[in-house]
């Protein structure tokens, strides 16, 4: 017995199957220096915020 489903619903037999893009662009790898700059900026902003909050 089949349940009633809306006309715009996807076919349940296709669940879990998708098209594979073989030529998908890859993201550039982040450099360690960029990660360190982000960490330093976040740490200094947090330190400044807490210093002002405590004072």
């Amino acid at each position: 017995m089949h349940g009633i489903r809306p006309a715009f619903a996807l076919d349940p037999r296709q669940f879990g199957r998708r098209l594979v893009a073989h030529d998908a662009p890859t993201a550039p790898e982040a450099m360690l220096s960029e990660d360190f700059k982000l960490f330093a900026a976040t740490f200094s902003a947090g330190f400044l915020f807490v210093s002002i909050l405590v004072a």
Side-chain angles (χ1 to χ4, degrees):
M1 184 172 168
H2 296 286
I4 299 173
R5 61 186 180 99
F8 60 86
L10 299 175
D11 185 14
R13 293 175 289 183
Q14 297 296 323
F15 180 76
R17 299 178 185 172
R18 66 180 180 113
L19 297 174
V20 178
H22 295 288
D23 296 330
T26 58
E29 295 184 20
M31 296 176 56
L32 185 60
S33 61
E34 293 176 1
D35 292 338
F36 182 72
K37 287 178 185 178
L38 178 62
F39 169 75
T42 306
F43 181 82
S44 60
F47 185 81
L48 179 66
F49 176 76
V50 171
S51 298
I52 293 172
L53 185 68
V54 170

